[in-house]
Amino acid sequence: MIEAMTQLESSNARAVAEVAVAMSGGVDSSTVAAILRERGQSIVGLTMQLWNQRRLPELHGHGAVRHRCCSLDDVYDARRVAEHLGIPFYVVNFEREFEETVIRPFVEEYLDGRTPIPCTHCNNHVKFEQLLITARQIGAQRIATGHYARVRRNPASGRYELFRALDDSKDQTYFLFGLTQEQLARTEFPLGALAKSEVREIARRLAVPVAEKPESQEICFVPSGGYVRFIEGYLREQGTELDQQPGDIVSSTGDVLGRHDGLHRYTVGQRRGLGFSSGRPMYVIALDRANHRLMVGEDNELRGTTCEVRDVNWIPFATPEGPIEAKVRIRNRHEPADAQITALGATTARIQFHERQRAITPGQAAVFYSGELVLGGGWIR
């Protein structure tokens, strides 16, 4: 039976450990625990139960769930690693917080025609905010995670700064731009200066039980990347009718090219599954929810130079006093592009790219960089 921590020690009780390690059951977080243990640090392992994999059974195929983060097998793997290291270990149930701050916003954003990033919301609201609260409740003042990023305090400004990982292929700062100063101050990223190959070698040297485990490739609550099927299934479970009103598929000049069976099935930049043939590549360029129209166009119509972002989090400084030059990434695998960023208020900004960018998608994050330093980021309107 999985051990659930339902009642935590009070904050004035004797600390279980100095550092709480977020253990997902994968090789990265397991190696973090092993590294800190080898250093002689006092640590406790915490595994987060985020989503009941038995929900929405109609979305799952037959057989075991593989390569999906936060599965039940991952919980057991984390426990095995903790037993191997001889450290205290708890499973903490954050299912309610996860549903409120990740699942529901994900569904709402998607139905509003935006393309959300649930992993970033999970980092901001669960993996750091809730985990830090839990760590403090058991007396640990810091947490350590397996994210590939670096954090350090700037002695001149007194602020904590976030930096890209040295292994560019593994850098995860795109998903961490929302971390607050308090969260950065209490977080360690021991893998930030290591390559993935080095992490595997350390895991083998320290005989970590999951040293050869494959990486997670899917979002924990979405089987096989099926966003649409998940949303339909989740709304059915909640007793809510999905608005699947059909409408026209139109070009930018207003020509009707076909019909769609619900805007929730499409996202900006999509090419496949549009349901019509035009003899040339066509892409979704916008979702006109007011008129239930799907706007499509050629590649050049998908490109733009400006966007605004909301809920901006600035990291090395408060709101900048004037326009700043930076590299901006608008998708995780997007090559950061030169742009000028102008703050429109404490939490909004306008981005002016120097060259046209493809598929600036509402709901995605825009993250700002100056070299390896993460300046901040926000959500594209």
Side-chain angles (χ1 to χ4, degrees), residues 69-95:
C69 127
C70 305
S71 70
L72 192 59
D73 286 343
D74 289 329
V75 176
Y76 284 118
D77 283 342
R79 180 184 293 281
R80 281 201 303 140
V81 172
E83 290 175 350
H84 169 74
L85 298 175
I87 62 172
F89 174 78
Y90 301 96
V91 176
V92 289
N93 192 317
F94 289 151
E95 288 185 28

Side-chain angles (χ1 to χ4, degrees), residues 2 23-26 47-54 60 63-79 89 91 95 98 127 213-222:
I2 297 176
M23 298 181 66
S24 68
T47 290
M48 294 168 282
Q49 175 63 33
L50 301 178
W51 176 251
N52 183 351
Q53 301 288 347
R54 296 184 179 89
H60 304 285
V65 175
R66 299 184 183 277
H67 308 321
R68 194 189 318 158
C69 127
C70 305
S71 70
L72 192 59
D73 286 343
D74 289 329
V75 176
Y76 284 118
D77 283 342
R79 180 184 293 281
F89 174 78
V91 176
E95 288 185 28
F98 185 75
K127 289 184 178 177
K213 184 176 180 177
E215 293 189 64
S216 308
Q217 298 173 349
E218 295 183 357
I219 296 172
C220 60
F221 62 89
V222 179

Side-chain angles (χ1 to χ4, degrees), residues 329-346:
R329 170 169 278 161
I330 56 173
R331 285 179 297 281
N332 182 39
R333 297 303 178 189
H334 173 254
E335 183 67 27
D338 292 321
Q340 183 180 83
I341 306 169
T342 303
L344 303 178

Side-chain angles (χ1 to χ4, degrees), residues 20 29 62 67 110 120 122 135-137 171 207 224 262 312 330 359 361 373:
S29 61
H62 298 291
H67 308 321
Y110 217 93
T120 301
C122 185
R136 179 169 286 169
Q137 288 175 323
D171 175 64
S224 303
V312 175
I330 56 173
T361 307
L373 176 65

Side-chain angles (χ1 to χ4, degrees), residues 353-371:
F353 291 100
H354 297 337
E355 296 183 359
R356 299 174 74 198
Q357 302 299 307
R358 188 178 187 278
I360 303 175
T361 307
Q364 292 282 291
V367 182
F368 323 141
Y369 296 88
S370 177

Side-chain angles (χ1 to χ4, degrees), residues 105-116 263-264 287 289 362:
F106 168 82
V107 172
E108 291 167 1
E109 287 274 290
Y110 217 93
L111 293 180
D112 281 342
R114 293 183 287 272
T115 307
L263 289 177
H264 69 287
L287 283 73
R289 299 196 64 81

